[in-house]
Amino acid sequence: MSIAAFVPRCFQAAALATALVAGGCSTTQTSPPSPSAADSLLVGTWRLVSFEMEVQDKPDRIFPMGRSPVGYLSFMPDGRMAVVITAEGRKPPTSDPERAALYSSMVAYAGRFRIEGEKWVTIVEASANPAWVNTEQPRAFKIAGDTLQETTPWFPRATDKIMIRVVNTYARVK
């Protein structure tokens, strides 16, 4: 088996394990949401193609995870999702400051999701960022063939309070 085929399968297994563990500990919602046509379009695993940030009222795009980040997003038929995104060029840490820096070069969370029109909302049950646990994370989405585009709401960037949003593009894993 090639490494390209192996990585998505490993992620699917990890995402499923995360979803199962989170499901066993969930108090947010005890029964899965009923499936819809939008759910079935999302179900599956998606490979990250690009991670871009838009600055409100500016034409420029920022690439905070580099031009070649790595990530996967999976939606399970039982109404759970899991995502992990890592910046390009991450290296194993050799010190505590390097370990701390790695935290800011990744996004990872899992939980139940529901569809509301042209967005999905994740009720976060586990996250690399503990502040996200027990929050709802809405994402606008568009699917065109085997391409998924995800857009976050506008939010103030922590460093300077400039309004930004993240636009991720994924390709369906086959």
Side-chain angles (χ1 to χ4, degrees):
M1 177 183 306
S2 73
I3 191 72
F6 180 73
V7 170
R9 287 192 182 134
C10 284
F11 178 75
Q12 287 173 332
L16 180 59
T18 300
L20 290 173
V21 168
C25 301
S26 173
T27 58
T28 307
Q29 183 174 349
T30 56
S31 62
S34 55
S36 71
D39 291 346
S40 63
L41 290 175
L42 283 171
V43 168
T45 298
W46 302 82
R47 179 184 51 80
L48 184 68
V49 174
S50 67
F51 184 109
E52 301 176 7
M53 247 181 219
E54 294 180 336
V55 178
Q56 199 168 46
D57 302 324
K58 304 246 188 217
D60 300 341
R61 295 254 174 145
I62 301 167
F63 299 88
M65 297 288 204
R67 297 276 183 170
S68 300
V70 176
Y72 289 90
L73 168 63
S74 285
F75 293 94
M76 279 60 81
D78 67 351
R80 294 193 170 280
M81 64 77 66
V83 62
V84 63
I85 297 171
T86 59
E88 76 177 333
R90 287 172 46 118
K91 306 232 182 302
T94 58
S95 67
D96 286 341
E98 287 178 2
R99 265 185 279 293
L102 283 174
Y103 177 78
S104 65
S105 67
M106 74 171 292
V107 175
Y109 63 94
R112 291 194 171 277
F113 75 95
R114 68 180 183 271
I115 304 296
E116 293 180 354
E118 295 181 353
K119 71 179 176 179
W120 79 74
V121 179
T122 301
I123 300 102
V124 179
E125 296 173 322
S127 177
N129 179 354
W132 281 24
V133 174
N134 295 321
T135 67
E136 292 194 353
Q137 295 296 316
R139 302 292 186 261
F141 74 95
K142 295 178 188 170
I143 298 175
D146 287 332
T147 301
L148 167 64
Q149 185 178 60
E150 163 196 20
T151 305
T152 69
W154 293 101
F155 63 94
R157 186 166 49 188
T159 56
D160 54 16
K161 305 304 180 207
I162 290 174
M163 295 302 286
I164 59 173
R165 70 179 176 185
V166 175
V167 179
N168 292 331
T169 302
Y170 296 89
R172 187 179 295 279
V173 174
K174 294 182 179 189

